[in-house]
Amino acid sequence: MPRQVTSFFGRLGATIRDFTVAQRTIALIGVAVLVLGIVALGTWMARPSYTPLFSGLEGSDANTIVEQLRTDGVPYELTDGGATILVPEQSVYDQRLKAAAAGLPSASSGGYSLLDDMGVTSSEFQQSVTYKRALEGELASTIAALDGVRTSSVRLAIPEETVFVSERTEPTASVFIETENGVMLSTDQVQAIVHLTSASIDGMEPANVAVIDSGGTVLSAVGVGATGGTGQQASDYEERVRGSVQAMLDQVVGPGNATVVVAADMSYESAERVEETFTNPENAPALNETTNTESYEGTGGTTAGVLGPDNIAVPGGAGGAGSFNSEQSTRNNAVNKVTESRVIPAGDITRQTVSVALDEEVAGDIRVGDVSALVAAAAGIDAARGDEVTVEVMPFNTAGAEEAAAALKAAEDAAAMDQLMSVVRTAIIAAAIVLPIVLALVLYARNSRRQERESVDLGELQEARSALDALTAQMELEAAHDQFEPTMPLPIDSSPTDLDRRRAEIGSLAERDPEKTAEFLRGLMDDKQRV
């Protein structure tokens, strides 16, 4: 092993032996965390990327595919309760081809592929049922492709066409949706499902499509639409009106100083109304007009006389001349005809009431009449319909608000404490990781510095050390001479001594290479301190 490496490990061992118990503990923890982090990172980087092979599988199909993967030695993972199989990305297409060759997955809604198995001997009823099943399967697979939808099922109610029925019944559809865990379909997605289903069936209206999720919630009801049932519509309407009125009052009296309650009565019945209205147009010519005229003139025959008493005819005089005129007119006028057909869905508002309570401490000079007018305008109050608005000023109970404020403050404090603890944990982990690195860098720097010092010329180092020792001895001698006055004069020697010569050498060395001289002196001081 090279001398530099042996020297490095020797110094490292000496440095570690000088550590205290706490420093050794921190160093061991840091090294352990660093090693575990490296192992976890290597494991994560070596782990293959998994991709879904199949999703929404039945239990039997999942079992068969898993057996095939085990036979081929392909690693796999099961998610979604075994309905989804994950395999390494490089094995996805090969395993799909093998599964398709084996007829997997076998559980399928069919779709238009059901029509391929029909023979020429199929009855009309069988053809109708198969065609409806094909439509249901295609719609179910299309809806299942939406984001957040795990599986779907569609049932169609298509009436038979016949010439013996005067009024044709409209087709309807029901869609069952099972969403992913924690996913709720938005109104736009429900509308998309409704319109996709209705547009796929001839003569189907969007209002005749019902959508229900796996939780039993009606997302779209027949005759109502995607707004839910009548109760849900009433709740949505009340919440919408309450929010509008509350937002307005918060600007007038301040947040928390007013409360609003809205109650709406809605019709639970749907109906269809047809009205026909006839009017006579003014100054319009007749469509057709017919006039018949009769006129007779001449003498009549023998008269029979007049009736007398007891209905006995009394002979009269001779008959005279006579005439007959008759005129008959028929006119057909144009008539305006208006036929109006309206479908009245369930959920029509019959009456609503709005109740507002104001806190008397902040009401001040606010006039109740002005607030009532604002509320009536914001809520769309219709007096002819029987709507009412009630505004009252009364004291508010603030105990609940104080408790809520205290609970909110406690929650904020707990959140701040959790955040602080998270920062402390992160700092401890970072320190445990960084400390060994810093320690290794310090040891490396000290080792490099010592190696640089060892590369200096030893002869020059000995000269500098001898000069420094002589200079130190001379300074001590002069200090002792200043403290004790000599009893007799000392002879003065004008010849240069060894001390002067060494001083001159140090001066010349300093002039020639000041940085090197300073480095020598620092090294000598360090060695002297260690000794």
Side-chain angles (χ1 to χ4, degrees):
M1 185 176 292
R3 184 176 59 85
Q4 292 82 358
V5 177
T6 306
S7 176
F8 170 75
F9 281 108
R11 295 189 188 93
L12 180 61
T15 305
I16 293 176
R17 283 193 297 271
D18 294 338
F19 281 179
T20 62
V21 177
Q23 291 175 341
R24 291 180 181 179
T25 303
I26 295 176
L28 290 176
I29 293 174
V31 172
V33 171
L34 184 61
V35 171
L36 291 176
I38 294 174
V39 171
L41 180 61
T43 305
W44 177 78
M45 294 181 65
R47 181 179 181 272
S49 177
Y50 281 81
T51 303
L53 179 64
F54 292 105
S55 60
L57 295 173
E58 298 291 338
S60 58
D61 292 340
N63 182 44
T64 306
I65 294 174
V66 166
E67 291 296 334
Q68 174 185 328
L69 295 176
R70 290 176 179 174
T71 303
D72 296 340
V74 177
Y76 65 90
E77 292 182 0
L78 298 177
T79 59
D80 295 337
T84 301
I85 301 178
L86 304 177
V87 297
E89 189 173 0
Q90 64 270 16
S91 304
V92 170
Y93 299 107
D94 294 340
Q95 294 302 320
R96 283 182 181 175
L97 292 176
K98 289 184 179 180
L104 297 174
S106 60
S108 175
S109 56
Y112 288 126
S113 60
L114 295 174
L115 302 178
D116 299 336
D117 299 332
M118 294 183 61
V120 294
T121 59
S122 301
S123 63
E124 182 178 358
F125 174 76
Q126 185 178 1
Q127 293 177 359
S128 175
V129 172
T130 305
Y131 177 68
K132 187 174 72 170
R133 288 179 56 198
L135 290 177
E136 293 174 350
E138 291 294 329
L139 287 173
S141 61
T142 304
I143 294 172
L146 294 176
D147 292 338
V149 179
R150 176 182 296 176
T151 57
S152 65
S153 176
V154 180
R155 295 293 179 266
L156 301 177
I158 303 177
E160 297 181 1
E161 296 182 359
T162 176
V163 296
F164 300 102
V165 177
S166 59
E167 295 183 0
R168 184 175 180 271
T169 305
E170 295 182 353
T172 59
S174 59
V175 181
F176 174 81
I177 299 296
E178 183 180 2
T179 60
E180 301 288 348
N181 293 331
V183 176
M184 295 184 63
L185 296 181
S186 63
T187 304
D188 294 337
Q189 289 178 307
V190 176
Q191 289 283 6
I193 294 173
V194 168
H195 288 284
L196 174 66
T197 306
S198 62
S200 302
I201 307 301
D202 184 21
M204 181 177 292
E205 297 293 335
N208 292 331
V209 178
V211 181
I212 301 94
D213 63 3
S214 57
T217 304
V218 178
L219 304 178
S220 177
V222 175
V224 177
T227 56
T230 307
Q232 182 65 33
Q233 292 185 47
S235 300
D236 294 342
Y237 176 80
E238 293 171 355
E239 184 62 25
R240 185 171 63 254
V241 174
R242 191 202 67 79
S244 300
V245 177
Q246 186 69 58
M248 180 192 65
L249 292 178
D250 289 343
Q251 296 293 329
V252 176
V253 299
N257 297 321
T259 180
V260 181
V261 176
V262 179
D265 293 335
M266 290 189 175
S267 175
Y268 291 87
E269 299 178 354
S270 60
E272 184 177 358
R273 183 175 181 179
V274 179
E275 293 182 355
E276 292 185 354
T277 305
F278 299 92
T279 58
N280 186 18
E282 297 180 359
N283 300 325
L287 295 178
N288 52 61
E289 184 175 359
T290 303
T291 302
N292 295 326
T293 303
E294 295 181 1
S295 177
Y296 298 100
E297 292 182 357
T299 58
T302 303
T303 61
V306 297
L307 294 177
D310 298 330
N311 293 330
I312 298 175
V314 177
S323 63
F324 173 76
N325 295 320
S326 175
E327 183 176 354
Q328 183 178 2
S329 177
T330 302
R331 176 180 297 178
N332 294 325
N333 295 322
V335 177
N336 291 336
K337 179 181 178 182
V338 178
T339 302
E340 181 179 4
S341 178
R342 293 189 305 166
V343 176
I344 304 175
D348 188 20
I349 299 176
T350 59
R351 183 174 179 269
Q352 70 170 337
T353 58
V354 181
S355 302
V356 178
L358 301 177
D359 190 0
E360 64 179 7
E361 294 183 359
V362 297
D365 298 334
I366 295 178
R367 290 180 292 182
V368 176
D370 296 340
V371 176
S372 299
L374 290 175
V375 172
I381 298 299
D382 187 0
R385 191 173 53 189
D387 298 349
E388 294 182 1
V389 176
T390 303
V391 179
E392 296 291 341
V393 178
M394 56 186 60
F396 276 22
N397 185 3
T398 59
E402 294 176 355
E403 294 178 358
L408 181 61
K409 186 176 183 305
E412 292 177 353
D413 295 341
M417 182 59 66
D418 292 341
Q419 186 176 5
L420 179 60
M421 294 302 296
S422 176
V423 172
V424 171
R425 286 194 298 268
T426 305
I428 293 174
I429 295 173
I433 296 175
V434 172
L435 185 60
I437 300 175
V438 173
L439 181 60
L441 292 176
V442 170
L443 294 176
Y444 177 75
R446 291 184 62 182
N447 184 33
S448 300
R449 183 177 176 184
R450 289 178 179 177
Q451 289 180 356
E452 291 177 358
R453 291 174 182 171
E454 290 175 357
S455 63
V456 179
D457 188 3
L458 297 179
E460 295 180 355
L461 180 60
Q462 288 292 341
E463 293 179 1
R465 179 174 295 181
S466 300
L468 181 61
D469 293 340
L471 180 60
T472 305
Q474 180 65 24
M475 293 175 64
E476 292 177 355
L477 182 59
E478 291 178 356
H481 182 270
D482 293 338
Q483 292 180 1
F484 302 99
E485 185 177 356
T487 57
M488 58 182 299
L490 297 175
I492 300 175
D493 187 4
S494 60
S495 62
T497 61
D498 293 339
L499 180 60
D500 295 335
R501 186 169 56 256
R502 291 181 179 178
R503 288 181 179 177
E505 291 176 357
I506 293 175
S508 62
L509 180 62
E511 291 177 357
R512 186 171 64 252
D513 194 351
E515 295 181 357
K516 198 171 185 180
T517 304
E519 186 67 22
F520 289 164
L521 296 176
R522 282 197 296 268
L524 293 173
M525 294 176 65
D526 292 341
D527 294 340
K528 202 165 186 179
Q529 288 177 358
R530 285 194 296 273
V531 175

